[in-house]
Amino acid sequence: MKEFINEIKLRLNKGIAIRALLLSTIIASCITLIWGLTYIIRGHAVESSIVYPAGLLIIAILALAIWKVRKKSELQSAIFADNFYHLKDSLASALEFQQTNKEGHIYELQKQQAINKIKEISPQAIPLPFSRKLSIVAGISAIAAGSLSLATPSDEVLKAIKEREITSARTEEIQKTVEKEVENLINSLSDEEKEAIDPDAIRQWVKELKKTDDKREALRNIARVEQKIQKSIDKLQNRKNEETLKAAGIKMLQAKNQATKDIGKSLKNKNFKKAAAKLEKFKLNQNNIKKTKLDKKKMAQLKADAKDPNKKKALNKKQKQLAKLRELTKRLSQAAQQNRNQSNPSSSETMSMEQFAELLEEADINKLPEELNLEDLKELPQDLLDQLPPELLNKFPRELLNQLPPELLEKLLEMLENNAQDLQENMDEMELDMMEGDPMSQEEWEELLEQLENMDMDIEALQKMLERMEAMKNMREKLQGLQKMLGQSQISPSEKELFLRKSKGGKKPGFGSDSSRRKNKDKLKNNKQHTKIKGKKGIGPVKSSVESADSGSGVSRRKGTAKKRSHEKQMSSFIDREDVSEEMKQAVKQYFQDIHSIQKPSNQKSN
Amino acid sequence: MTTTKTNNIEEKAKHFKETFLRVRKEVGKFIVGQDDIVENVLVAICCGGHVLLEGVPGLGKTALVNTLATALELQFKRIQFTPDLLPSDVVGTQILSEKDGNRELIFQPGPVFCNILLADEINRATPKTQSALLETMQEKRVTVANQTHSIGLPFFVLATQNPIENDGTYPLPEAQLDRFFFKLKVELPGHDDFLEILERTGGNSTPSLRPTASGKDIIAMGNTIREIPVAKEVMNYLVRIVRTTHPDEENAPKEVKQYVRNGASPRAAQAILAASRAKAILDSRFHVSKEDVAAAAIPAIRHRLILSFEGEAEGINPDDIVKAVIAKAK
């Protein structure tokens, strides 16, 4: 009996398996068909290595799932056989009694009855649930799904694939090249330049240039790094101070003193490092003056010197040095003052400490000006920094002035001039006193020495600031070079690929292009820039700068000219008419002249 | 008429079947056609159940019961139910009797003290009288004046009722109906059966009947029935049928949900199970099949369904509902 039931079960499950296979084939084929069509609609070839194995997997999983869910147990098979052969639940009952270990004569009899009934029955009589329709549908859908693999990708897709491959290779190449360039750049940095920008930050930018096969993503990455470089360049931007120093430099060229002229020349050329070095000559060299007490002998000598007009020059050597220095500081201060007046006419007057204290209070900074330290100054907004009284810098320890931010250059210059002026006044007073035979006291002497020392330290602070500005300028130029290199990593319109200009290209000196190059083979080095560079809308970093509103004239000249010409034509045609009175013609002529006479001054003004 | 004392189930089954067929054959001498009715009545008797026979007058309901009583050699009594029939007329009463000069109340047993009771036109009696049968049918005993009197076994009530005449009738309460094992509908005989009836009853001679089974045989047959095993699958099927007669049941067919107010009780399931076993033995099987269950379900459930107002108003036949239930339970 058990065997019979198992045979029934096997046959039923076989049928279920066939049906499950057919059903899952239809479902998987439909899924594969839709999936494949999505490729074809987009112009791609069906990715056979993914789609068809996935289809087979779906068939296997579905068939297994259906079979698992629907497969018959022994009892179900027995019930099926009872129904199919009209056995009146003999098999199911017998099987259940057997499975539940029912013992007794009656159960034996029941089992025997069941066995007798199945003796003449063959499980093969149960038809397999093989559906011809289902098989045909499964076959057709499978063939349809399979036939999609014959479709080839469109030309556009082939191009896109090629482009992706090229992009991937190029982005990798760009990354490696830029990495190398950045390392070279970092190695070439001086200590001051390294202070201006963190080399690790630059390395971090390069890491963002990842390898990608998406052209847009690659360009976006490049543009992103470019933007970061631009931001850093902007931070290193010191244009106002540079212009101030340049203006001062131009003024210095008119000085009588050659040393001042030299510095002026350097400043004019924005060679701040050189200027800083030349400033060394302007130090008052106070270290040579020993801080010794003035003994009676020396005092007598000083008195004698003061009375002796021939030795007066020697005594006034320092005064001369100071005079030279003042020639310099005055010009520097003037330039700073002038620059400040231009940029902010309202703050042309130097603010007193009290006024500045009020400003601080208005800005919710609960500190007195005297309480501000260097860190506080770095945090102050630019408008407050512009108003900063220069004497406030005198409150700082002289050693700290070396660390003043570039924003305070003008204040430093003004302070320098003020201090130089004070020193000169002191020395003049001392000279007068000496000439009157009144020797200076020890305190006055020490005060003078301290002033001299402070003056030198102020010059040193200026030197430091100039050196820093030079470093920032250099760093800016280097970053601009890097930015330029990245900016050149763009799409070549002819080959539609990314490239990085590794060399400057062109021919060596003396071998420039000639007029016959269109006819002959171009011997220019192929740096992929000799093709016609044509921008592609929406792709590539923006190279053009946006002009600010106030930099333009506000009037389109071409349009204005055309308008004027049109008016002239109208006027002349009107004047030529005979049906119009002479008065009217004059009036119209005057009208048009008035229009353009009004426009002209406004144009000039805007220009 | 043989009485078996064997423990062999084969022998018992054989005895069951032979006795059953013998009685049916004997009844068949007088009752023409109505084979299903006769078989079901016999099945109910074997299972110890009571039968409600419903049919228009003249279809041989009373004759069937009379014939059966004769064929079974059991004490048979008949009560003709009328509206003025009192419970004491059914179960018995106490009467004053003089014995040895002393007067005492003694119990005078009613007609229920028998083996086969024909409650003819049961729906003509008042509910009070109908209810007098309740304890008798279920407990097989009678309580009068605080004294309980057992009725000898076997005891069967075969009640008849006329479905057409509604005037002066008292429909049986649900509790009473539930106590009937089967409700059998006696239908009009077919053409050939009609001819046969006329032929048999039109002459001077009437078929002579003789007892073919005793009360012991019936009790033994009842015991045999209980030995037939039922597979769980079949039992589940039976339970499904009974449960889905209730409109609250989730899997109940829409007919049940629409027309039935209350479904069959577990007593119905017991009746179906017993009847199915009997049918299995009659089919020479030692197990119950779903076909047996389905066959027993209609007569066992039809009188236990309480139709809703909508069902009553539309004249829904409970048999149709039971058939729908059977179809749904498969």
Coordinates of all heavy atoms in Angstrom, one line a residue, chain A residues 190-253:
Chain A
S190 N 58.3 76.9 0.0 CA 59.2 77.4 1.1 C 58.4 77.3 2.4 O 57.2 77.0 2.4 CB 59.6 78.8 0.9 OG 58.4 79.7 0.9
D191 N 59.1 77.6 3.5 CA 58.4 77.5 4.8 C 57.3 78.5 4.9 O 56.2 78.2 5.5 CB 59.4 77.7 6.0 CG 60.4 76.5 6.1 OD1 60.0 75.5 5.5 OD2 61.4 76.7 6.7
E192 N 57.5 79.7 4.4 CA 56.5 80.8 4.5 C 55.3 80.3 3.6 O 54.1 80.5 4.0 CB 57.0 82.1 3.9 CG 58.0 82.8 4.8 CD 59.4 82.4 4.6 OE1 59.6 81.5 3.7 OE2 60.3 82.8 5.4
E193 N 55.5 79.7 2.5 CA 54.4 79.3 1.6 C 53.7 78.1 2.3 O 52.4 78.1 2.2 CB 55.0 78.8 0.3 CG 55.4 80.0 -0.6 CD 56.3 79.6 -1.8 OE1 56.7 78.4 -1.8 OE2 56.5 80.5 -2.6
K194 N 54.4 77.3 3.0 CA 53.7 76.2 3.7 C 52.8 76.7 4.8 O 51.8 76.1 5.2 CB 54.7 75.2 4.3 CG 55.2 74.2 3.2 CD 56.2 73.2 3.7 CE 56.7 72.4 2.6 NZ 57.9 71.6 3.0
E195 N 53.2 77.9 5.3 CA 52.4 78.5 6.4 C 51.1 79.0 5.7 O 50.0 79.0 6.4 CB 53.1 79.7 7.0 CG 54.0 79.2 8.2 CD 54.8 80.4 8.8 OE1 54.3 81.5 8.8 OE2 55.9 80.1 9.2
A196 N 51.3 79.5 4.5 CA 50.1 80.1 3.8 C 49.0 79.1 3.5 O 47.8 79.4 3.6 CB 50.5 80.8 2.5
I197 N 49.4 77.9 3.2 CA 48.4 76.9 2.9 C 49.0 75.5 3.3 O 50.2 75.2 3.2 CB 48.1 76.9 1.4 CG1 46.8 76.0 1.2 CG2 49.2 76.4 0.5 CD1 46.1 76.3 -0.1
D198 N 48.1 74.7 3.8 CA 48.4 73.4 4.3 C 48.6 72.4 3.2 O 47.7 72.1 2.4 CB 47.3 72.8 5.3 CG 47.7 71.5 5.9 OD1 48.9 71.1 5.8 OD2 46.8 70.9 6.5
P199 N 49.8 71.8 3.0 CA 50.1 70.9 1.9 C 49.1 69.7 1.9 O 48.7 69.2 0.9 CB 51.5 70.5 2.1 CG 52.1 71.5 2.9 CD 51.1 72.1 3.8
D200 N 48.8 69.3 3.1 CA 47.9 68.1 3.2 C 46.5 68.4 2.6 O 45.9 67.5 2.0 CB 47.7 67.7 4.7 CG 49.0 67.0 5.2 OD1 49.8 66.5 4.3 OD2 49.2 67.0 6.4
A201 N 46.1 69.6 2.7 CA 44.8 70.0 2.1 C 44.9 69.9 0.6 O 43.9 69.4 0.0 CB 44.5 71.5 2.5
I202 N 46.0 70.2 0.0 CA 46.1 70.1 -1.4 C 46.1 68.6 -1.8 O 45.5 68.2 -2.8 CB 47.5 70.7 -1.9 CG1 47.5 72.2 -1.5 CG2 47.6 70.6 -3.4 CD1 48.8 72.9 -1.8
R203 N 46.8 67.8 -1.0 CA 46.8 66.3 -1.3 C 45.4 65.8 -1.2 O 45.0 64.9 -2.0 CB 47.7 65.6 -0.3 CG 49.2 65.8 -0.5 CD 50.0 64.8 0.3 NE 51.4 65.2 0.2 CZ 52.1 65.8 1.1 NH1 51.6 66.2 2.2 NH2 53.4 66.0 0.9
Q204 N 44.6 66.3 -0.2 CA 43.2 65.8 -0.1 C 42.4 66.2 -1.3 O 41.6 65.4 -1.7 CB 42.6 66.5 1.2 CG 41.3 65.9 1.7 CD 41.5 64.4 2.0 OE1 42.5 64.1 2.6 NE2 40.5 63.6 1.7
W205 N 42.6 67.3 -1.9 CA 41.9 67.7 -3.1 C 42.1 66.7 -4.2 O 41.2 66.3 -4.9 CB 42.3 69.0 -3.6 CG 42.1 70.2 -2.7 CD1 41.3 70.2 -1.6 CD2 42.8 71.4 -2.7 NE1 41.4 71.4 -1.0 CE2 42.3 72.2 -1.6 CE3 43.8 72.0 -3.5 CZ2 42.8 73.5 -1.3 CZ3 44.2 73.3 -3.2 CH2 43.7 74.0 -2.2
V206 N 43.4 66.3 -4.4 CA 43.7 65.4 -5.5 C 43.0 64.0 -5.3 O 42.6 63.4 -6.2 CB 45.3 65.2 -5.6 CG1 45.6 64.3 -6.7 CG2 45.9 66.6 -5.7
K207 N 42.9 63.7 -4.0 CA 42.2 62.4 -3.8 C 40.8 62.4 -4.3 O 40.2 61.3 -4.5 CB 42.2 62.1 -2.3 CG 43.5 61.5 -1.8 CD 43.5 61.2 -0.3 CE 44.9 60.8 0.2 NZ 45.0 60.8 1.6
E208 N 40.2 63.5 -4.4 CA 38.8 63.6 -4.9 C 38.7 63.4 -6.4 O 37.7 63.2 -6.9 CB 38.2 65.0 -4.6 CG 38.0 65.2 -3.1 CD 37.3 66.5 -2.8 OE1 36.8 67.1 -3.7 OE2 37.4 66.9 -1.6
L209 N 39.9 63.4 -7.1 CA 39.9 63.1 -8.5 C 39.9 61.5 -8.7 O 40.9 60.9 -9.0 CB 41.1 63.7 -9.2 CG 41.2 65.2 -9.2 CD1 42.6 65.6 -9.7 CD2 40.1 65.8 -10.1
K210 N 38.7 61.0 -8.4 CA 38.7 59.5 -8.4 C 38.5 59.0 -9.9 O 38.1 59.7 -10.7 CB 37.4 59.0 -7.7 CG 37.5 59.3 -6.2 CD 36.1 59.1 -5.6 CE 36.0 59.8 -4.3 NZ 34.7 60.0 -3.9
K211 N 38.9 57.7 -10.0 CA 38.8 57.1 -11.3 C 37.3 56.9 -11.6 O 36.6 56.3 -10.7 CB 39.5 55.8 -11.3 CG 39.5 55.1 -12.7 CD 40.1 53.7 -12.6 CE 39.9 52.9 -13.8 NZ 40.4 51.6 -13.8
T212 N 36.8 57.3 -12.7 CA 35.4 57.1 -13.0 C 35.2 56.9 -14.5 O 36.0 57.5 -15.3 CB 34.5 58.2 -12.4 OG1 33.2 58.0 -12.9 CG2 35.0 59.6 -12.9
D213 N 34.1 56.2 -14.9 CA 33.9 56.1 -16.3 C 32.8 57.1 -16.7 O 32.4 57.1 -17.9 CB 33.5 54.6 -16.7 CG 32.2 54.2 -16.0 OD1 31.7 54.9 -15.1 OD2 31.7 53.1 -16.3
D214 N 32.3 57.8 -15.8 CA 31.2 58.8 -16.1 C 31.9 60.1 -16.4 O 32.6 60.7 -15.5 CB 30.3 58.9 -14.9 CG 29.1 59.9 -15.2 OD1 29.1 60.4 -16.3 OD2 28.3 60.0 -14.4
K215 N 31.8 60.5 -17.6 CA 32.5 61.7 -18.1 C 32.1 63.0 -17.3 O 32.9 63.8 -16.8 CB 32.2 62.0 -19.6 CG 33.0 62.9 -20.2 CD 32.8 62.9 -21.7 CE 31.4 63.4 -22.1 NZ 31.0 63.1 -23.4
R216 N 30.8 63.0 -17.1 CA 30.2 64.2 -16.3 C 30.8 64.2 -14.9 O 31.1 65.2 -14.3 CB 28.7 64.2 -16.3 CG 28.2 64.5 -17.7 CD 26.7 64.7 -17.6 NE 26.2 65.1 -18.9 CZ 25.0 65.6 -19.2 NH1 24.2 65.8 -18.2 NH2 24.7 65.9 -20.4
E217 N 30.8 63.0 -14.3 CA 31.2 62.9 -12.9 C 32.7 63.3 -12.9 O 33.2 64.0 -12.0 CB 31.0 61.4 -12.5 CG 31.6 61.1 -11.1 CD 30.8 61.9 -10.0 OE1 29.7 62.3 -10.2 OE2 31.5 62.1 -8.9
A218 N 33.5 62.8 -13.9 CA 34.9 63.2 -13.9 C 35.1 64.7 -14.0 O 35.9 65.3 -13.3 CB 35.6 62.5 -15.1
L219 N 34.3 65.3 -14.9 CA 34.4 66.7 -15.1 C 34.0 67.5 -13.8 O 34.5 68.5 -13.4 CB 33.6 67.2 -16.3 CG 34.2 66.7 -17.6 CD1 33.2 67.0 -18.7 CD2 35.5 67.4 -17.9
R220 N 32.9 66.9 -13.2 CA 32.4 67.5 -12.0 C 33.5 67.4 -10.9 O 33.7 68.4 -10.1 CB 31.2 66.7 -11.5 CG 30.1 67.6 -11.0 CD 28.8 66.8 -10.7 NE 28.1 66.5 -12.0 CZ 27.6 65.3 -12.2 NH1 27.6 64.4 -11.4 NH2 26.9 65.1 -13.3
N221 N 34.2 66.3 -10.8 CA 35.3 66.1 -9.8 C 36.4 67.2 -10.1 O 36.9 67.8 -9.1 CB 35.9 64.7 -9.9 CG 35.0 63.7 -9.3 OD1 34.0 64.0 -8.6 ND2 35.2 62.4 -9.7
I222 N 36.7 67.3 -11.3 CA 37.8 68.3 -11.7 C 37.3 69.7 -11.3 O 38.1 70.4 -10.7 CB 38.1 68.2 -13.2 CG1 38.8 66.8 -13.5 CG2 39.1 69.3 -13.6 CD1 39.0 66.5 -14.9
A223 N 36.1 70.0 -11.7 CA 35.6 71.3 -11.4 C 35.5 71.6 -9.9 O 35.8 72.7 -9.4 CB 34.2 71.5 -12.0
R224 N 35.2 70.5 -9.1 CA 35.1 70.6 -7.7 C 36.5 71.0 -7.1 O 36.6 71.9 -6.3 CB 34.6 69.3 -7.1 CG 33.7 69.5 -5.9 CD 33.1 68.2 -5.5 NE 32.0 67.8 -6.3 CZ 31.8 66.5 -6.7 NH1 32.6 65.6 -6.4 NH2 30.7 66.3 -7.5
V225 N 37.5 70.3 -7.6 CA 38.9 70.6 -7.1 C 39.3 72.0 -7.5 O 39.9 72.7 -6.8 CB 39.8 69.5 -7.7 CG1 41.2 69.8 -7.3 CG2 39.4 68.1 -7.1
E226 N 38.9 72.3 -8.8 CA 39.2 73.6 -9.3 C 38.6 74.7 -8.4 O 39.2 75.7 -8.0 CB 38.6 73.8 -10.7 CG 39.6 73.5 -11.8 CD 39.1 73.9 -13.1 OE1 38.3 73.1 -13.7 OE2 39.3 75.1 -13.5
Q227 N 37.3 74.4 -8.0 CA 36.7 75.4 -7.1 C 37.4 75.5 -5.8 O 37.5 76.6 -5.2 CB 35.2 74.9 -6.8 CG 34.3 75.3 -8.0 CD 32.9 74.8 -7.7 OE1 32.7 74.0 -6.8 NE2 32.0 75.2 -8.6
K228 N 37.8 74.4 -5.3 CA 38.5 74.4 -4.0 C 39.8 75.2 -4.1 O 40.2 76.0 -3.2 CB 38.8 73.0 -3.5 CG 37.6 72.3 -3.0 CD 37.8 71.0 -2.3 CE 36.5 70.5 -1.8 NZ 36.6 69.1 -1.3
I229 N 40.5 75.0 -5.2 CA 41.8 75.7 -5.4 C 41.4 77.2 -5.5 O 42.1 78.1 -4.9 CB 42.5 75.2 -6.7 CG1 42.9 73.8 -6.5 CG2 43.7 76.1 -7.0 CD1 43.5 73.1 -7.8
Q230 N 40.3 77.5 -6.2 CA 40.0 78.9 -6.4 C 39.7 79.6 -5.0 O 40.1 80.7 -4.8 CB 38.7 79.0 -7.3 CG 38.3 80.4 -7.7 CD 39.4 81.2 -8.4 OE1 40.0 80.7 -9.3 NE2 39.7 82.4 -7.9
K231 N 39.0 78.8 -4.2 CA 38.7 79.3 -2.9 C 40.0 79.6 -2.1 O 40.1 80.6 -1.4 CB 37.8 78.3 -2.1 CG 36.3 78.4 -2.4 CD 35.6 77.5 -1.5 CE 34.1 77.5 -2.0 NZ 33.4 76.4 -1.4
S232 N 40.9 78.7 -2.2 CA 42.2 78.9 -1.5 C 42.9 80.1 -2.1 O 43.5 80.9 -1.3 CB 43.1 77.7 -1.7 OG 42.5 76.6 -1.1
I233 N 42.8 80.2 -3.4 CA 43.5 81.4 -4.1 C 42.8 82.7 -3.5 O 43.5 83.6 -3.2 CB 43.4 81.3 -5.6 CG1 44.2 80.1 -6.1 CG2 43.7 82.6 -6.3 CD1 44.0 79.8 -7.6
D234 N 41.5 82.6 -3.4 CA 40.8 83.8 -2.9 C 41.2 84.2 -1.5 O 41.3 85.3 -1.2 CB 39.2 83.6 -3.0 CG 38.7 83.5 -4.4 OD1 39.5 83.9 -5.3 OD2 37.6 83.0 -4.6
K235 N 41.4 83.1 -0.7 CA 41.8 83.3 0.6 C 43.2 84.0 0.7 O 43.6 84.8 1.6 CB 41.9 82.0 1.4 CG 40.5 81.6 2.0 CD 40.7 80.4 2.8 CE 39.3 79.8 3.2 NZ 39.4 78.5 3.8
L236 N 44.0 83.6 -0.3 CA 45.4 84.1 -0.4 C 45.4 85.5 -1.1 O 46.5 86.1 -1.2 CB 46.3 83.1 -1.1 CG 46.5 81.8 -0.4 CD1 47.2 80.8 -1.4 CD2 47.4 81.9 0.8
Q237 N 44.3 85.9 -1.5 CA 44.2 87.1 -2.3 C 44.5 88.3 -1.3 O 44.0 88.4 -0.2 CB 42.8 87.3 -2.9 CG 42.7 88.1 -4.1 CD 43.5 87.7 -5.2 OE1 44.7 88.1 -5.4 NE2 43.0 86.7 -6.0
N238 N 45.4 89.1 -1.8 CA 45.9 90.2 -0.9 C 45.9 91.5 -1.7 O 46.8 92.3 -1.6 CB 47.2 89.9 -0.4 CG 47.4 90.3 1.1 OD1 46.6 91.0 1.6 ND2 48.5 89.9 1.7
R239 N 45.0 91.6 -2.6 CA 45.1 92.7 -3.7 C 45.2 94.1 -3.1 O 46.0 94.9 -3.5 CB 43.9 92.5 -4.6 CG 44.1 93.3 -5.9 CD 42.9 93.1 -6.8 NE 42.9 91.8 -7.3 CZ 41.8 91.1 -7.8 NH1 40.7 91.8 -7.7 NH2 41.9 89.9 -8.3
K240 N 44.3 94.3 -2.1 CA 44.3 95.7 -1.5 C 45.6 96.1 -1.0 O 46.1 97.2 -1.3 CB 43.2 95.7 -0.4 CG 42.8 97.1 0.0 CD 41.8 97.0 1.2 CE 41.8 98.2 2.0 NZ 41.1 98.1 3.2
N241 N 46.2 95.2 -0.2 CA 47.5 95.5 0.4 C 48.6 95.6 -0.7 O 49.4 96.5 -0.6 CB 47.9 94.4 1.4 CG 47.0 94.5 2.6 OD1 46.4 95.5 2.9 ND2 47.0 93.4 3.4
E242 N 48.5 94.8 -1.7 CA 49.5 94.8 -2.7 C 49.4 96.1 -3.5 O 50.4 96.8 -3.8 CB 49.3 93.6 -3.7 CG 49.7 92.3 -3.1 CD 49.5 91.1 -4.0 OE1 49.1 91.4 -5.2 OE2 49.6 90.0 -3.6
E243 N 48.1 96.6 -3.7 CA 47.9 97.8 -4.4 C 48.4 99.0 -3.6 O 49.0 99.9 -4.1 CB 46.4 98.0 -4.8 CG 45.9 97.1 -5.8 CD 46.8 97.1 -7.1 OE1 47.1 98.2 -7.6 OE2 47.1 96.0 -7.6
T244 N 48.2 98.9 -2.3 CA 48.7 100.0 -1.3 C 50.2 100.1 -1.4 O 50.7 101.2 -1.6 CB 48.2 99.6 0.1 OG1 46.9 99.4 0.1 CG2 48.7 100.7 1.1
L245 N 50.8 98.9 -1.4 CA 52.3 98.9 -1.4 C 52.8 99.3 -2.7 O 53.8 100.0 -2.8 CB 52.8 97.5 -1.0 CG 52.6 97.1 0.4 CD1 53.0 95.7 0.6 CD2 53.4 98.0 1.4
K246 N 52.1 99.0 -3.8 CA 52.5 99.4 -5.1 C 52.4 100.9 -5.3 O 53.3 101.5 -5.8 CB 51.6 98.7 -6.2 CG 52.1 98.9 -7.6 CD 51.2 98.2 -8.6 CE 51.6 98.5 -10.0 NZ 50.6 98.0 -11.0
A247 N 51.3 101.4 -4.7 CA 51.1 102.9 -4.8 C 52.2 103.6 -4.0 O 52.8 104.6 -4.4 CB 49.8 103.3 -4.2
A248 N 52.5 103.0 -2.8 CA 53.6 103.5 -2.0 C 54.9 103.5 -2.7 O 55.7 104.4 -2.7 CB 53.7 102.8 -0.7
G249 N 55.1 102.3 -3.4 CA 56.3 102.1 -4.2 C 56.5 103.2 -5.3 O 57.6 103.7 -5.5
I250 N 55.4 103.5 -6.0 CA 55.5 104.5 -7.0 C 55.8 105.8 -6.4 O 56.7 106.6 -7.0 CB 54.1 104.6 -7.8 CG1 53.9 103.3 -8.6 CG2 54.0 105.8 -8.7 CD1 52.5 103.1 -9.1
K251 N 55.3 106.1 -5.3 CA 55.6 107.4 -4.6 C 57.1 107.4 -4.2 O 57.7 108.4 -4.3 CB 54.7 107.5 -3.3 CG 53.3 108.0 -3.6 CD 52.6 108.3 -2.3 CE 51.3 108.8 -2.3 NZ 50.4 108.9 -3.4
M252 N 57.5 106.3 -3.8 CA 58.9 106.2 -3.3 C 59.9 106.4 -4.4 O 61.1 106.8 -4.2 CB 59.2 104.8 -2.7 CG 58.6 104.7 -1.3 SD 58.9 103.0 -0.8 CE 57.7 102.8 0.5
L253 N 59.5 106.1 -5.6 CA 60.4 106.3 -6.8 C 60.8 107.8 -6.9 O 61.8 108.2 -7.5 CB 59.8 105.8 -8.1 CG 59.6 104.3 -8.2 CD1 58.9 103.9 -9.4 CD2 61.0 103.7 -8.2

